[in-house]
Amino acid sequence: MFVDQMRVHILSTSNYISYFFFYPLLVNKRRLAELNIYVNYYDNLSDKLYDCDVLLLDSKHFSTLWGNRDYVLSLLQEIKYKCRKLIWLDSTASTGSTHFQVLPIVDKYLKKQLLKDLSLYTRVFYGARIYTDYYKNHYNLPNEEVAQVDPIDKKYINKLYLSWNLVFGPYSVNKRITNLVKLTPWFLKKRLNFTYQVARNPTKAERSNPVCFRGSDKYTNKVLAFQRIKIIEMLRNRGVDTTSVKFKDYINELENTKIAISPFGAGELCYRDFEIFLTGALLLKPSLDHLVTWPDIFIEGKTYVSTKWDLSDFEEKVNCLLQNDDLVKQISLEAHERYVSLFKDKAQEDFCYRFIELIS
């Protein structure tokens, strides 16, 4: 693939999610330059920001501003007037947490996971998520103060595009280094050299810990926490300790675990999923059949095992897996190998080509 020279500017912020999301661009800086794509990052609005062919806006940059919606939309109108092409990067956690109010202004809207049926975005879901709406109605939960988002106007559906998920983040990099670099302003980040260090060995002969989950059920409302509350309750009945531990201890635990649970939280996908792939445990999580994401490493029965959203089959799935070590090893090894393959040259080239298609 050869394209005319393209200058791509990104307005972001020093946010953990943003750092993980843009990490593959940082790693592939030289490869993109060889393809005539030059990426530059900014923490704030400036005249230099607009001197580009494509301007990408990280939604995290605007997170604290939405209290004054009119101001944000007015600001976006000004930005649009000053640039050639404007793309919104929705880096929110779930398929349903959206900013469709920007669609009349931007040229494209990229999101790292989308509902498989895009027409569902014309509906209003309780709690702004299809799964919180499910729990509210399935269990007749009381009304709470929950997040709300605008449904999409059908005429803008063709502006929706699938970007990439957080699989390309620096999960194998030392946590202290990651925490330090994530706080570094983007004008300094872009001067550093980034790489992947995928070296975890999933082939440990014996994993003595049957099941693990480390996570919280403390959310702003019960409907968002509901799935986790139910899972934690079932795990504690099994004698599984779900309280938080130091990150190093958590990774060591995963490397010694057969089945690792990863429920939904603010979104369907999270760092935990990829940490499980990295360490070679088997990923067990609620079904993802309702969404599409890229790279699609979540393949039911091959790279992960799903449970129903009502968790009626949760105990049965766990017991069945614990009685079938060969199946657990087969699925977890397949997941790890597919995960590792994403960091090889061919896969990174594919990422660069996909990025070029998305911004072209």
Side-chain angles (χ1 to χ4, degrees):
M1 174 184 284
F2 180 81
V3 296
D4 292 335
Q5 180 174 310
M6 189 181 297
R7 293 168 300 158
V8 181
H9 288 182
I10 299 175
L11 178 63
S12 187
T13 185
S14 296
N15 176 277
Y16 206 80
I17 292 175
S18 299
Y19 178 48
F20 273 62
F21 184 68
F22 293 124
Y23 198 81
L25 293 177
L26 294 167
V27 170
N28 287 290
K29 177 172 59 176
R30 181 175 298 178
R31 182 177 275 122
L32 286 167
E34 290 172 353
L35 294 169
N36 255 355
I37 305 298
Y38 300 91
V39 183
N40 216 338
Y41 305 85
Y42 294 83
D43 297 277
N44 299 292
L45 296 173
S46 68
D47 290 339
K48 291 182 179 180
L49 176 70
Y50 306 111
D51 186 19
C52 61
D53 299 293
V54 183
L55 176 56
L56 307 182
L57 301 180
D58 176 6
S59 65
K60 294 298 180 189
H61 183 87
F62 300 86
S63 295
T64 61
L65 303 178
W66 282 112
N68 189 338
R69 174 182 170 133
D70 290 341
Y71 168 74
V72 175
L73 296 180
S74 175
L75 179 61
L76 292 178
Q77 289 280 14
E78 292 180 21
I79 294 173
K80 172 62 177 172
Y81 179 76
K82 296 178 180 178
C83 67
R84 300 179 186 179
K85 187 170 188 177
L86 188 62
I87 298 178
W88 184 263
L89 297 179
D90 182 344
S91 54
T92 53
S94 76
T95 51
S97 45
T98 58
H99 307 108
F100 289 155
Q101 59 269 38
V102 310
L103 280 168
I105 303 171
V106 301
D107 296 295
K108 281 186 175 182
Y109 187 110
L110 274 55
K111 190 167 178 61
K112 52 185 167 48
Q113 64 282 314
L114 286 167
L115 291 173
K116 191 174 292 183
D117 180 358
L118 293 180
S119 69
L120 290 175
Y121 283 118
T122 62
R123 292 174 49 185
V124 175
F125 291 105
Y126 182 84
R129 296 162 175 83
I130 192 170
Y131 56 92
T132 52
D133 189 86
Y134 169 83
Y135 290 120
K136 171 69 168 68
N137 294 311
H138 189 76
Y139 293 96
N140 195 27
L141 298 177
N143 289 322
E144 299 178 86
E145 185 176 342
V146 294
Q148 296 179 342
V149 297
D150 294 349
I152 198 170
D153 186 324
K154 288 182 180 179
K155 67 184 179 183
Y156 295 123
I157 285 183
N158 64 350
K159 287 190 177 184
L160 299 184
Y161 290 83
L162 187 63
S163 60
W164 60 94
N165 55 46
L166 298 179
V167 70
F168 295 116
Y171 298 97
S172 59
V173 178
N174 182 283
K175 186 75 169 180
R176 290 182 179 178
I177 295 175
T178 298
N179 287 336
L180 178 64
V181 176
K182 76 168 183 180
L183 296 174
T184 305
W186 278 101
F187 77 89
L188 293 178
K189 275 195 192 81
K190 65 187 180 184
R191 299 177 184 177
L192 303 175
N193 292 319
F194 297 86
T195 186
Y196 290 114
Q197 304 169 14
V198 183
R200 298 285 178 179
N201 184 0
T203 59
K204 185 174 180 178
E206 295 298 330
R207 291 173 177 251
S208 60
N209 188 40
V211 182
C212 88
F213 167 66
R214 299 288 179 177
S216 173
D217 59 2
K218 307 302 180 189
Y219 283 86
T220 53
N221 53 69
K222 185 174 181 180
V223 70
L224 192 57
F226 189 80
Q227 187 186 93
R228 288 192 172 208
I229 292 171
K230 300 285 284 185
I231 286 178
I232 288 174
E233 179 182 335
M234 287 187 283
L235 290 177
R236 286 177 178 170
N237 288 338
R238 285 178 165 269
V240 177
D241 183 2
T242 62
T243 56
S244 296
V245 295
K246 292 181 179 179
F247 184 77
K248 182 179 180 180
D249 294 334
Y250 158 68
I251 292 297
N252 289 338
E253 182 177 59
L254 282 180
E255 291 181 327
N256 195 40
T257 293
K258 295 179 181 180
I259 303 168
I261 316 298
S262 184
F264 298 165
E268 295 93 334
L269 308 181
C270 68
Y271 306 115
R272 183 185 300 104
D273 301 333
F274 308 120
E275 290 161 351
I276 292 170
F277 290 148
L278 172 67
T279 53
L282 181 141
L283 173 64
L284 177 66
K285 72 182 287 114
S287 174
L288 298 171
D289 284 348
H290 66 294
L291 63 76
V292 290
T293 190
W294 188 89
D296 187 8
I297 195 173
F298 300 92
I299 304 171
E300 162 62 27
K302 288 190 175 181
T303 63
Y304 91 107
V305 175
S306 70
T307 64
K308 295 177 181 178
W309 284 9
D310 65 4
L311 304 173
S312 59
D313 62 345
F314 182 83
E315 296 286 2
E316 179 186 356
K317 288 283 180 76
V318 172
N319 290 335
C320 181
L321 289 168
L322 289 177
Q323 294 170 12
N324 195 335
D325 274 351
D326 289 342
L327 179 61
V328 169
K329 290 177 181 178
Q330 175 187 326
I331 295 174
S332 57
L333 184 60
E334 176 71 18
H336 179 82
E337 289 179 347
R338 291 193 184 215
Y339 172 80
V340 170
S341 71
L342 294 174
F343 305 98
K344 296 181 178 178
D345 285 346
K346 176 60 169 63
Q348 291 299 297
E349 287 177 5
D350 290 343
F351 168 82
C352 292
Y353 296 150
R354 182 181 178 83
F355 177 70
I356 293 172
E357 289 178 4
L358 286 170
I359 64 175
S360 297

